[in-house]
Amino acid sequence: MQIGMIGLGKMGGNMAERLRRAGHDVVGYDRDPKVSDVGGLSELVERLNTPRAVWVMVPAGDPTRATLRELGELLSPGDVVVDGGNSHYLDDQKHAEELAAKGISFVDVGVSGGVWGLRNGYALMVGGEADAVTMLMPVFEALKPEGEDGFVHAGKVGAGHFAKMVHNGIEYGVMQAFAEGWELLEATDLVTDVPATFKSWRTGTVIRSWLLDLLVRALEEDADLSELKGYAADSGEGRWTVQAAVDHAVPLPAITAALYARFASRQEDSPAMKMVAALRNQFGGHAVSSTEGQHAKGADSPGADVTPPVEAQG
């Protein structure tokens, strides 16, 4: 099958390569001329046979919106556009409506697999009308892992990115649980080989998983993670998952806590924890650290006066 691929970065480039290895004709476009097959979107569209299929792998938000808007002016009725980036599912519905007015089909695909997808295949969560999905099945079959799993036509437009959003929310929670377990194991002098402990869990336990395999790999490269800084960004899908949970009144305490933990990781000196320390000092006289690295007066410090009102004691 012939397909146009827009965006040839880490994911898009590897996906294009996997498709080519499977025998598909891929015409790729990227702003980097060194990896691009064509000079622009108009040339890409001209190179494709009708009905055309174009897969967009650019950052979510304005870059995706601008690309789809331009494609809407270049493509013809009967063509199909795939958004394989990390777009919000509500944006998918708007894009589908705009393209449908021009007779162009729209399919949203949540893609998981990262840098390992070229070798192992990509898990694909697809949303869209059945006819458009059927047209793209040769591409999906080439991209997915071998076997019966790794692909789902999850539902109507928006379902693919909604499913991927929830997938990433679950990922946040699992990663946070592993991280907290690692920190606790490191904090005790009872466990003297933390990396080996995690490695032992890879077989026979209920928490064995690819994330656990990657954790073991990370500890093999840096046993105490001393080469890393405790900062974790979020791609946006964790936030969208929590927002969707609020919209549908579905409690997500673990995923929400994991998202907030990532926010906390970006604060070298947490403003909220400053207030917690100040309040502990006020009601209990607990010692606090000053910005100069010295301990301020607590209740047991000479000259300290932190006696609370009677009704506040306890």
Side-chain angles (χ1 to χ4, degrees):
M1 179 175 174
Q2 187 185 51
I3 188 166
M5 181 71 73
I6 301 173
L8 301 174
K10 291 180 180 178
M11 287 282 283
N14 281 346
M15 292 170 72
E17 177 60 24
R18 186 173 172 89
L19 287 171
R20 289 187 175 116
R21 292 179 184 180
H24 294 283
D25 178 14
V26 180
V27 180
Y29 169 69
D30 193 271
R31 291 184 299 176
D32 182 357
K34 295 178 181 178
V35 299
S36 187
D37 299 318
V38 294
L41 294 188
S42 59
E43 185 181 349
L44 179 140
V45 170
E46 291 173 1
R47 286 269 299 272
L48 298 176
N49 301 321
T50 57
R52 305 175 184 90
V54 181
W55 191 303
V56 178
M57 286 295 292
V58 301
D62 289 339
T64 293
R65 282 189 283 271
T67 302
L68 295 181
R69 192 178 304 115
E70 187 172 352
L71 285 173
E73 299 299 322
L74 295 170
L75 295 174
S76 304
D79 294 342
V80 60
V81 174
V82 179
D83 180 2
N86 290 326
S87 295
H88 195 278
Y89 66 95
L90 294 178
D91 287 344
D92 293 329
Q93 295 167 4
K94 296 176 184 176
H95 297 152
E97 183 177 351
E98 293 168 356
L99 290 171
K102 301 175 183 293
I104 303 168
S105 297
F106 176 86
V107 172
D108 62 288
V109 181
V111 181
S112 183
V115 296
W116 299 87
L118 175 60
R119 184 178 71 183
N120 300 333
Y122 300 89
L124 306 174
M125 293 144 270
V126 178
E129 297 298 327
D131 289 347
V133 174
T134 299
M135 173 183 172
L136 293 163
M137 279 309 300
V139 170
F140 295 147
E141 289 289 349
L143 289 174
K144 67 179 286 295
E146 294 183 6
E148 61 179 313
D149 297 324
F151 169 86
V152 61
H153 182 190
K156 58 186 179 181
V157 168
H161 282 145
F162 194 95
K164 176 59 161 48
M165 177 189 74
V166 174
H167 165 281
N168 281 26
I170 294 170
E171 177 186 302
Y172 276 45
V174 175
M175 290 172 67
Q176 185 65 25
F178 276 134
E180 292 174 5
W182 172 78
E183 184 174 359
L184 182 57
L185 287 170
E186 286 283 355
T188 178
D189 58 1
L190 292 174
V191 179
T192 57
D193 194 340
V194 174
T197 300
F198 275 103
K199 188 174 182 179
S200 74
W201 293 346
R202 295 174 64 187
T203 304
T205 74
V206 296
I207 63 169
R208 61 188 184 273
S209 64
W210 188 45
L211 279 176
L212 178 58
D213 294 340
L214 294 177
L215 186 156
V216 170
R217 176 187 172 96
L219 293 178
E220 287 175 347
E221 295 174 353
D222 183 8
D224 59 0
L225 303 185
S226 59
E227 297 180 8
L228 299 177
K229 184 177 180 181
Y231 177 101
D234 68 285
S235 63
E237 288 152 309
R239 302 186 191 202
W240 297 340
T241 305
V242 173
Q243 290 167 355
V246 173
D247 293 341
H248 294 278
V250 175
L252 299 184
I255 293 174
T256 302
L259 174 65
Y260 288 169
R262 295 201 183 191
F263 294 163
S265 77
R266 302 168 200 176
Q267 298 176 324
E268 293 186 5
D269 191 13
S270 169
M273 293 311 296
K274 286 183 180 181
M275 179 54 71
V276 170
L279 288 172
R280 293 181 74 244
N281 178 256
Q282 290 296 319
F283 71 71
H286 301 284
V288 295
S289 297
S290 69
T291 55
E292 289 77 22
Q294 305 200 352
H295 289 290
K297 294 178 179 179
D300 55 352
S301 302
D305 183 8
V306 293
T307 305
V310 172
E311 64 271 16
Q313 295 179 0

